Amino acid sequence: MITIDTTSSIPKYKQIIFSIEKAILLHKLVINEKLPSINKICLRHNLSRDTVLLAYNELKKRGVIYAILGKGYFIKSTDFKSEQRIFLLFDELNAFKEEIYNSFLDTINDKANVDIFFHHFNRDVFAKLIQDSIGNYSKYIIMPSNLEHTTEIINKLPLDETYILDQTRDDLKKYPAVYQNFVKDIFTALEKGLKRLKKYKKLVLIFPGKKEPIGMVLGFESFCTTYHFEFEIKSEFTVDSLQKGDVYILPNDRDLVTIIENAALSKLIIGKDIGLISYNDTPLKKVVAKGITTISTNFSEMGIRLAEMILNNKKEKIENESQLILRKSL
């Protein structure tokens, strides 16, 4: 009934509380049923009496259990609001992920405790964090990003309690999700800018491929083929590759800065001699180089939609669409 993970960052007394609450919700414990004694839990899990007492006292305060002197602890009520504990696994923390996180927290408000972790695009870290979390949370939100061979790891989590965020794929279809459709988004965004793009000779996608979703490449290739654009995909930008008449699509902001700097050195006018399209809008991109055109989704909306899905216990697949924000760089 009670499970303790000694490697988990969750305090042991909270693990006891969660185990008992979960047993009640699964109808493994009923009203007036006796709980394991403090001594029994201490011996079985090598815990101190203070740890177990802390858990039992917390459950008493909530009206979940009651004590009879000399006899032990018993279930008082099965009609209670279990404290939601949410495991949130992001790839990294940047300005866009912070926007998702803050809007998610604001919407969840005080209805749940949220623990956030980061895998930093490392599959071993991803696997360990998920393994350590199993059984300690009521909901699991996973951002798998472009990591390969993670489905079998995610499948270890309870199907009804797991949600996918930002990037999904065919082998994760069974999970509810709030996600971006990168293939569709880049195609429709470039289509919206078609009239301006026709002023240029070639479209160049700078795609490092370490963190970026492969859907960007697929959508870009499809657009260029459909509308007969000369195009090129580069893994990195080099100074000597900057050419008049090219449009550069840039998922990485470092490449954006490099190109702006080198355009100035080469006396190339942004928006006339070369075009720039950046991924993910920020306030700074409204003013840099008289305005940078961006392809961007509403990150706050992603956090809100996910929180509402969890609060309403819904299982949906919500596509968070992107849009092209036209500015003078194109």
Side-chain angles (χ1 to χ4, degrees), residues 13-271:
Y13 85 93
K14 284 194 172 185
Q15 294 187 48
I16 296 171
I17 292 170
F18 184 64
S19 295
I20 292 171
E21 287 180 342
K22 191 171 184 179
I24 292 171
L25 293 172
L26 294 173
H27 306 293
K28 293 179 179 179
L29 285 172
V30 297
I31 290 177
N32 295 325
E33 186 168 352
K34 188 177 181 180
L35 290 168
S37 70
I38 291 175
N39 286 339
K40 187 174 182 179
I41 297 173
C42 290
L43 289 170
R44 178 167 292 181
H45 299 286
N46 194 26
L47 299 173
S48 70
R49 285 184 59 84
D50 287 345
T51 297
V52 184
L53 271 171
L54 187 59
Y56 275 14
N57 285 335
E58 180 65 29
L59 288 167
K60 279 173 65 181
K61 289 177 187 176
R62 295 187 197 172
V64 177
I65 68 174
Y66 66 96
I68 298 178
L69 189 62
K71 292 189 176 181
Y73 293 85
F74 301 82
I75 300 298
K76 181 178 182 180
S77 173
T78 57
D79 183 21
F80 67 94
K81 184 178 179 182
S82 180
E83 184 185 22
Q84 284 252 51
R85 297 175 182 84
I86 298 175
F87 174 82
L88 184 57
L89 181 56
F90 274 21
D91 46 26
E92 64 180 356
L93 186 62
N94 55 34
F96 320 116
K97 305 297 166 57
E98 187 174 1
E99 204 169 331
I100 296 174
Y101 178 64
N102 287 336
S103 64
F104 179 79
L105 280 188
D106 288 345
T107 307
I108 286 290
N109 202 356
D110 59 352
K111 298 179 180 69
N113 287 330
V114 181
D115 292 335
I116 186 169
F117 301 87
F118 302 94
H119 59 72
H120 300 291
F121 303 92
N122 184 310
R123 187 181 180 278
D124 291 337
V125 174
F126 182 92
K128 179 165 181 15
L129 287 171
I130 286 183
Q131 185 62 48
D132 289 350
S133 75
I134 294 172
N136 293 322
Y137 294 89
S138 49
K139 302 292 181 187
Y140 301 83
I141 299 167
I142 309 299
M143 190 180 283
S145 303
N146 60 356
L147 282 176
E148 296 180 350
H149 311 299
T150 54
T151 303
E152 62 270 28
I153 301 168
I154 296 171
N155 285 342
K156 294 178 180 180
L157 296 170
L159 176 61
D160 290 340
E161 298 170 1
T162 303
Y163 299 77
I164 303 300
L165 179 61
D166 196 31
Q167 293 187 48
T168 189
R169 49 182 183 260
D170 288 344
D171 53 357
L172 295 173
K173 276 184 177 179
K174 62 185 177 182
Y175 296 102
V178 179
Y179 66 97
Q180 297 184 70
N181 184 335
F182 291 95
V183 177
K184 174 185 170 185
D185 287 346
I186 193 169
F187 186 98
T188 55
L190 294 176
E191 199 172 43
K192 183 180 176 182
L194 185 60
K195 186 176 179 180
R196 297 195 191 189
L197 289 170
K198 285 182 175 178
K199 298 176 184 177
Y200 299 90
K201 296 177 183 177
K202 184 171 69 173
L203 273 59
V204 181
L205 174 65
I206 308 297
F207 187 79
K210 294 177 181 177
K211 301 178 182 179
E212 299 77 13
I214 192 65
M216 289 181 180
V217 172
L218 301 176
F220 175 73
E221 289 177 332
S222 177
F223 172 82
C224 293
T225 303
T226 300
Y227 289 99
H228 311 291
F229 277 94
E230 182 183 349
F231 70 94
E232 187 176 0
I233 299 169
K234 293 175 170 286
S235 61
E236 61 180 350
F237 172 77
T238 55
V239 175
D240 57 357
S241 67
L242 187 64
Q243 296 292 326
K244 184 176 181 178
D246 288 353
V247 176
Y248 297 90
I249 294 97
L250 308 161
N252 190 309
D253 282 352
R254 290 182 181 179
D255 290 324
L256 174 64
V257 173
T258 303
I259 288 180
I260 291 172
E261 289 176 339
N262 283 279
L265 292 172
S266 303
K267 296 185 173 15
L268 294 173
I269 300 171
I270 294 171

